[in-house]
Amino acid sequence: MFKKLFSEFRIPVRFHILFWIVYFVFNFFRFASINKDYWYSLKSNLVEFPLNIVITYFTIYFLIPRFILKKKYLQFFFYFSVSLIVFYVIRSGLNYLLVSKDLWPEAQGYQEPFTLIHFVEVTIGTIYVVALVSAIKLAYDWVSEKRKNDELQRIQLQTELDFLKSQIQPHFFFNTLNNLYALVIKQSPNAPDVVMKLSEIMQYVLYEVKEPRVSLLKAINYLHSYLELEKLRYGERVKSEINIDGDIDEVEIPPLIFLPFVENCFKHGVKKQGDIKVIINFAVRDKFLYFSVENSLDEQRDSAPRHGIGIENVKRRLDLLYGKKYTLNTSATDEMFKVSLKLPL
């Protein structure tokens, strides 16, 4: 996967070819318009063109990675200067032998070749094309590096999300199996029904939450099954309701987001006597999903329930998925504890 990822950020060969074709055509017409000699411009560019390609690729693929990126600037300047001198000698010699004895026809008046002025004139054009290609290459590398880092971050994020999601499943089953164990010890007739409900929930958790998002309707049905499971454990003491406001048909949410909050209702809100109240609300308004769950408090416990592994897991997942775009609040009274969650759709 990573090999494929990195290979995608190399500049395709067709773009190299396209650039040099454009460069050749541009140079051909530029020199032809200056000298009014298209034949001379064609021949001289055919000589210079391969040399420009060689020194350009030598600079950006050898000198820059070996010296500039390692902050060896003096060595780079030395070797680049040497390459310019070699380029100048070869270019002038080939032009003299293959194109024309007049090595500087575009100069005003008669100018001697192989002078400092002629060297500067020739190498300025070379430096220009090397600088242009280097700028394009560095810009492309920067964009590619950013895309690569973004992709690696996405992969890392997805890996962590998958890990966090997988943590919830054994956490839930551990709690449920403990409940089932208590019912078996008491030889409760509800034990078989608990096994049946648990199998339904396992089907959802193991097979239907592998996708990054699930329908809100399925998530609500899942919570309903969980409440039914707790009712088998506590009987008529459980007084629960699920209220829905707005159109939820097309709403999708990350899987297993709401379960730990509902689990906490029974973990911290079970009284030794009296009703166990659980009120769950869903509302869809203005491109936001509003979720809240209220549960009765046990006066013998802390007024604000402590957050266990499930809640911390959900908070971490929300941070990864939504950043600062979600809000999670808790509040408590003498008798009720409430969790409120707002998610962007």
Side-chain angles (χ1 to χ4, degrees), residues 104-121:
W104 201 357
E106 62 270 17
Q108 294 182 355
Y110 179 76
Q111 298 288 346
E112 288 286 343
F114 299 103
T115 62
L116 179 61
I117 296 177
H118 187 229
F119 174 78
V120 171
E121 178 70 21

Side-chain angles (χ1 to χ4, degrees), residues 89-310:
V89 172
I90 296 176
R91 182 255 194 196
S92 299
L94 290 176
N95 267 334
Y96 183 83
L97 294 174
L98 302 176
V99 181
S100 172
K101 301 297 187 289
D102 184 4
L103 296 179
W104 201 357
E106 62 270 17
Q108 294 182 355
Y110 179 76
Q111 298 288 346
E112 288 286 343
F114 299 103
T115 62
L116 179 61
I117 296 177
H118 187 229
F119 174 78
V120 171
E121 178 70 21
V122 171
T123 56
I124 282 179
T126 304
I127 293 173
Y128 165 78
V129 69
V130 170
L132 176 61
V133 175
S134 299
I136 295 173
K137 176 68 165 56
L138 292 174
Y140 189 93
D141 287 347
W142 180 84
V143 173
S144 299
E145 189 70 20
K146 186 177 184 303
R147 288 174 55 199
K148 181 180 68 178
N149 290 336
D150 290 344
E151 180 67 11
L152 290 174
Q153 186 176 8
R154 186 194 66 79
I155 293 172
Q156 183 179 2
L157 172 63
Q158 188 59 50
T159 301
E160 186 172 355
L161 284 172
D162 290 341
F163 173 72
L164 291 172
K165 189 168 65 175
S166 68
Q167 276 188 318
I168 286 185
Q169 299 174 11
H171 171 73
F172 164 74
F173 290 132
F174 176 78
N175 290 340
T176 306
L177 289 173
N178 278 343
N179 296 340
L180 178 59
Y181 176 75
L183 292 176
V184 171
I185 290 295
K186 296 177 182 179
Q187 296 184 343
S188 170
N190 291 330
D193 292 331
V194 171
V195 174
M196 184 60 66
K197 283 293 180 183
L198 181 59
S199 67
E200 295 175 1
I201 293 175
M202 286 181 66
Q203 181 180 358
Y204 173 83
V205 171
L206 296 178
Y207 300 109
E208 297 187 25
V209 298
K210 292 183 178 180
E211 298 300 322
R213 289 185 173 270
V214 297
S215 71
L216 178 58
L217 184 59
K218 284 187 176 181
I220 293 174
N221 289 335
Y222 172 62
L223 291 181
H224 180 265
S225 296
Y226 177 78
L227 291 174
E228 293 297 312
L229 191 63
E230 294 292 355
K231 287 179 181 179
L232 290 173
R233 178 186 178 191
Y234 293 105
E236 296 299 323
R237 293 177 59 198
V238 177
K239 306 295 182 183
S240 65
E241 59 180 87
I242 298 179
N243 302 309
I244 301 173
D245 181 21
D247 185 7
I248 65 169
D249 291 340
E250 303 298 326
V251 176
E252 293 187 339
I253 48 94
L256 302 174
I257 286 290
F258 308 120
L259 173 65
F261 299 114
V262 180
E263 275 189 291
N264 256 22
C265 298
F266 296 92
K267 184 177 180 181
H268 299 287
V270 176
K271 302 178 181 180
K272 292 182 178 180
Q273 294 181 348
D275 292 341
I276 305 169
K277 297 180 181 178
V278 179
I279 303 173
I280 302 174
N281 297 301
F282 290 94
V284 177
R285 294 192 301 270
D286 302 325
K287 297 182 180 181
F288 284 94
L289 171 63
Y290 297 86
F291 164 79
S292 68
V293 56
E294 299 177 70
N295 64 275
S296 53
L297 285 175
D298 183 358
E299 293 84 354
Q300 304 300 320
R301 301 194 181 191
D302 298 335
S303 59
R306 293 167 295 172
H307 288 172
I309 182 176

Side-chain angles (χ1 to χ4, degrees), residues 20-32:
W20 289 114
I21 290 175
V22 172
Y23 170 76
F24 180 86
V25 172
F26 172 77
N27 251 21
F28 167 72
F29 283 106
R30 182 167 71 93
F31 282 107

Side-chain angles (χ1 to χ4, degrees), residues 291-341:
F291 164 79
S292 68
V293 56
E294 299 177 70
N295 64 275
S296 53
L297 285 175
D298 183 358
E299 293 84 354
Q300 304 300 320
R301 301 194 181 191
D302 298 335
S303 59
R306 293 167 295 172
H307 288 172
I309 182 176
I311 299 299
E312 293 303 320
N313 183 300
V314 171
K315 289 174 65 177
R316 176 59 180 160
R317 290 179 64 205
L318 291 173
D319 288 337
L320 292 172
L321 290 167
Y322 296 102
K324 297 182 179 180
K325 297 179 181 180
Y326 80 96
T327 56
L328 177 63
N329 298 308
T330 60
S331 59
T333 63
D334 292 338
E335 297 181 351
M336 300 292 288
F337 181 80
K338 181 176 181 180
V339 176
S340 299
L341 176 63

Side-chain angles (χ1 to χ4, degrees), residues 10-39:
R10 296 175 182 171
I11 301 177
V13 175
R14 64 180 182 276
F15 291 128
H16 290 263
I17 297 174
L18 178 61
F19 172 83
W20 289 114
I21 290 175
V22 172
Y23 170 76
F24 180 86
V25 172
F26 172 77
N27 251 21
F28 167 72
F29 283 106
R30 182 167 71 93
F31 282 107
S33 63
I34 293 175
N35 301 323
K36 307 300 181 182
D37 188 341
Y38 287 89
W39 179 240

